């Protein structure tokens, strides 16, 4: 009986350690351009040149970019968490080349009566310096809304959030 229990214990021990092997979880298809960002919104012309800095006095606010359920490198979600215009849009992207946007308006999932156009979007790895002095990734894009004055374009520009400085960075 002791011999049987001994073999049973060894078998259970071997099975327990074999079953602990974990599958490696890979990155999402948009990992290069996904993240939390601190940006400012400036009034811009059609070419993205700043006309007026921070016209609403918001300073830096958070936006997020993230993968879609399809997990492809050709589309992503862009969301301002209700801090600027209340937009959540699925936009075309080229994650391999760190670009996103389209000249065609897309529906705003956060607000039914508004379409959003995002153009000239890009992420630059190590492209800016955060307020704490860290070299971080930069993001910028032009955005316009169908429920705004026709021709109004905003340039959102900022840096990847680092989590430093009390969460503001």
């Amino acid at each position: 009986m002791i011999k049987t229990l001994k073999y049973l214990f060894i078998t259970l021990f071997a099975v327990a350690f074999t079953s602990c092997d974990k599958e490696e979880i890979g990155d999402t298809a948009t990992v290069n351009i996904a993240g939390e960002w601190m940006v400012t919104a400036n009034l811009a012309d059609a070419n993205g040149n700043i006309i007026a800095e921070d016209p609403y006095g918001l300073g830096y606010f958070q936006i997020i970019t993230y993968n879609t359920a399809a997990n492809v490198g050709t589309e992503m979600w862009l969301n301002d968490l209700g801090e600027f215009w209340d937009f959540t849009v699925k936009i075309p992207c080229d994650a391999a080349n760190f670009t996103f946007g389209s000249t065609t308006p897309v529906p705003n999932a956060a607000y039914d009566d508004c379409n959003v156009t995002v153009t000239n979007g890009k992420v630059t790895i190590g492209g800016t310096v955060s307020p704490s002095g860290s070299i971080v990734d930069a993001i910028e894009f032009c955005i316009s809304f169908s429920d705004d004055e026709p021709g109004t374009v905003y340039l959102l520009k900022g840096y990847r959030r680092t989590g430093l400085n009390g969460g503001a960075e």
Side-chain angles (χ1 to χ4, degrees):
M1 178 70 166
I2 292 178
K3 202 175 199 181
T4 306
L5 287 174
K6 185 177 178 182
Y7 286 121
L8 181 63
F9 178 73
I10 290 171
T11 304
L12 288 174
F13 186 74
V15 169
F17 277 100
T18 303
S19 66
C20 288
D21 291 339
K22 294 183 180 181
E23 285 186 40
E24 188 171 323
I25 298 173
D27 292 330
T28 65
T30 59
V31 67
N32 295 335
I33 55 179
E36 296 178 55
W37 307 88
M38 299 304 294
V39 298
T40 57
N42 302 297
L43 196 56
D45 64 17
N47 297 319
N49 300 310
I50 297 174
I51 297 170
E53 291 187 12
D54 195 13
Y56 301 117
L58 297 174
Y60 281 101
F61 59 92
Q62 186 178 15
I63 64 167
I64 54 175
T65 55
Y66 51 96
N67 204 43
T68 65
N71 194 27
V72 293
T74 56
E75 65 183 16
M76 72 173 185
W77 285 102
L78 175 63
N79 185 332
D80 77 337
L81 305 169
E83 293 192 35
F84 174 58
W85 206 271
D86 199 11
F87 64 86
T88 303
V89 292
K90 187 189 306 186
I91 55 172
C93 70
D94 181 348
N97 290 308
F98 305 95
T99 60
F100 58 95
S102 170
T103 55
T104 306
V106 294
N108 184 355
Y111 180 58
D112 289 337
D113 294 335
C114 176
N115 290 321
V116 180
T117 304
V118 177
T119 59
N120 304 320
K122 68 179 180 177
V123 170
T124 306
I125 303 301
T128 193
V129 178
S130 71
S132 69
S134 302
I135 296 174
V136 293
D137 301 342
I139 190 169
E140 70 177 77
F141 58 95
C142 291
I143 190 166
S144 58
F145 305 93
S146 65
D147 62 349
D148 198 2
E149 291 293 322
T152 303
V153 176
Y154 301 94
L155 173 65
L156 273 61
K157 189 172 183 175
Y159 60 92
R160 189 181 300 270
R161 185 175 175 273
T162 64
L164 301 174
N165 196 19
E169 228 182 287

